[in-house]
Amino acid sequence: MLAAQQLMKKFGGLMATNNVSFEIQQGELSSIIGPNGAGKTTLFNLLTGHLRPDAGKVTFNGQDITGLPPHEICRLGIGRSFQHINIFPRLSIFDNVQAAVLAGQGKCVNIFASAKNMAWEETLQVLETVELAGKKEHTAGLLSHGDQKRLEIGIALALRPSLLLLDEPTAGMSPEETAGIANLIQRMVREQGLTALFVEHDMSVVFGISQKIRVLHLGRIIATGTPEEIRSDMQVQQIYLGEE
């Protein structure tokens, strides 16, 4: 489905990603872990067109997408949420998701002037998936942190991706919110046939829901395996898990 081939990105004298290669299979729920500064967000930016690699390439369903702008990559079926929540805080939950649904349908001209009844069912379906339908008229900026993250995931889902990249989806959440987001990710993959790749620092989430884990350290992938394999990998224990 998605393949990164020998991706390299350098900032000044710092090698942020160094010859990174891996493949994600359709239907896979996998994660990337690593210490701060390992290159995780840079890697996501390379995969989604926010950065262009110095070398290497990215393919998606057999198509070379290296360096394409983010909106074109999104149209091909790759959705993303960010470390810092990216929503329209003054709009309602419903309007946030509806705007994304209409944009995905190519109906994004003057949508706020006349779109109230457009894509109603599609918008409600997304809100039900992320369990926000009962709050659809609430102002987005007044939501709890956990619900804002649910909304951001809903906005990404509204664009109907086949691959969803989630950058620290549970950062800053309470244990209850964290468990809710972890369950949501699993359910989206299971019920909607999504493929998901997420970056996460909460090891209980990583080892609780990942089918495959990739460990990034100093810009390189040093280990790939099941949660059991990664937990028992001595190099991972020394470099990363021992820091937790």
Side-chain angles (χ1 to χ4, degrees), residues 37-101:
K40 302 182 297 296
T41 296
T42 296
L43 178 58
F44 263 31
N45 286 336
L46 293 171
L47 298 177
T48 56
H50 289 83
L51 287 174
R52 187 177 185 89
D54 298 327
K57 70 177 183 177
V58 181
T59 60
F60 181 61
N61 290 332
Q63 178 179 345
D64 189 346
I65 63 169
T66 312
L68 288 180
H71 68 275
E72 291 189 21
I73 291 176
C74 182
R75 287 175 183 167
L76 291 173
I78 299 179
R80 179 182 179 181
S81 73
F82 293 82
Q83 276 184 317
H84 303 291
I85 292 172
N86 190 16
I87 60 176
F88 296 110
R90 296 186 180 181
L91 298 181
S92 70
I93 292 174
F94 185 91
D95 287 345
N96 267 269
V97 174
Q98 184 190 44
V101 170

Side-chain angles (χ1 to χ4, degrees), residues 215 217 222-223 230 232-241:
V215 183
H217 180 63
I222 62 167
I230 296 300
S232 61
D233 187 293
M234 292 301 297
Q235 185 181 19
V236 174
Q237 292 178 18
Q238 292 171 1
I239 291 175
Y240 182 62
L241 294 179

Side-chain angles (χ1 to χ4, degrees), residues 192-204:
Q192 300 195 17
L194 277 175
T195 303
L197 174 67
F198 66 97
V199 166
E200 183 57 66
H201 285 287
D202 188 323
M203 293 298 100
S204 66

Side-chain angles (χ1 to χ4, degrees), residues 103-166:
Q105 296 175 351
K107 300 174 182 177
C108 53
V109 178
N110 295 325
I111 58 173
F112 300 115
S114 59
K116 192 62 180 176
N117 296 316
M118 296 175 67
W120 182 271
E121 290 186 5
E122 296 95 325
T123 302
L124 281 181
Q125 286 175 357
V126 173
L127 292 177
E128 287 170 359
T129 297
V130 297
E131 300 176 343
L132 289 176
K135 301 178 180 179
K136 64 180 184 295
E137 299 303 330
H138 292 203
T139 301
L142 301 180
L143 297 172
S144 68
H145 180 71
D147 280 348
Q148 287 189 2
K149 179 56 71 173
R150 284 180 182 273
L151 175 57
E152 187 186 32
I153 293 173
I155 291 170
L157 285 179
L159 296 167
R160 293 182 289 185
S162 54
L163 170 63
L164 186 59
L165 307 183
L166 303 168

